[in-house]
């Protein structure tokens, strides 16, 4: 009985610990994140933000979701059905998409340590290295 109680207590503690979303205001975001939002999404409007697992997750009023590091560097921008701001897309990637998928827009971009993941409006995912060279498509 004691083992079952300890097991249940451990499960409850893990669930409480795992759900560590901390709501934050726009002013509580790192300065770099605030500047990024003001520069690229000033007309959209801030909706909410939370800090969790070593990053910030921001929701804008149009449904755009942006993930930032704790230092305020962007990691992921998901505009769903709208185009990601062109300034966020490296030139080589933008040119590749324009040439090979001229009827599609980039709706999501994710920076990774070894490159970029791009999602087009047709849900096709494209992988690029850190220099913007195309690697492969993942549908």
């Amino acid at each position: 009985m004691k083992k079952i109680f300890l097991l249940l207590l451990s499960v409850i503690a893990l669930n409480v610990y795992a759900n560590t979303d901390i709501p934050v205001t726009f002013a509580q975001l790192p300065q770099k994140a605030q500047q990024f939002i003001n520069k690229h999404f000033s007309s959209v409007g801030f909706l909410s933000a939370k800090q969790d697992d070593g990053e910030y997750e921001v929701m804008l009023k149009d449904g755009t979701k942006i993930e930032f590091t704790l230092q305020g560097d962007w990691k992921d921008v998901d505009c769903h059905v709208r185009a990601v701001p062109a300034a966020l897309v490296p030139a080589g990637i933008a040119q590749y998409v324009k040439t090979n998928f001229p009827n599609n827009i980039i709706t999501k971009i994710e920076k990774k340590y070894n490159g970029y993941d791009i999602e087009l409006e047709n849900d096709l995912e494209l992988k690029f290295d850190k220099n913007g060279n195309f690697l492969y498509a993942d549908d």
Side-chain angles (χ1 to χ4, degrees), residues 29-122:
L29 291 171
Q31 195 68 27
K32 283 174 83 172
Q34 291 178 39
Q35 291 168 347
F36 178 90
I37 294 167
N38 286 334
K39 180 177 180 178
H40 299 288
F41 297 96
S42 62
S43 65
V44 177
F46 174 83
L47 181 63
S48 65
K50 63 183 178 180
Q51 181 183 351
D52 185 35
D53 293 331
E55 66 183 28
Y56 291 96
E57 186 176 297
V58 174
M59 292 296 294
L60 302 181
K61 289 182 178 177
D62 69 349
T64 296
K65 181 177 132 185
I66 308 169
E67 292 179 13
F68 295 97
T69 65
L70 286 178
Q71 294 74 34
D73 296 310
W74 71 271
K75 293 172 50 175
D76 187 318
V77 177
D78 188 352
C79 296
H80 300 292
V81 295
R82 290 181 339 117
V84 167
L88 303 181
V89 182
I93 294 173
Q95 186 59 47
Y96 181 88
V97 171
K98 182 179 178 182
T99 301
N100 295 284
F101 302 95
N103 299 321
N104 285 274
I105 59 171
I106 298 171
T107 58
K108 181 177 179 181
I109 184 168
E110 182 178 358
K111 275 196 294 190
K112 299 202 169 206
Y113 70 94
N114 61 348
Y116 294 87
D117 289 354
I118 303 292
E119 188 171 312
L120 303 178
E121 67 183 318
N122 65 359

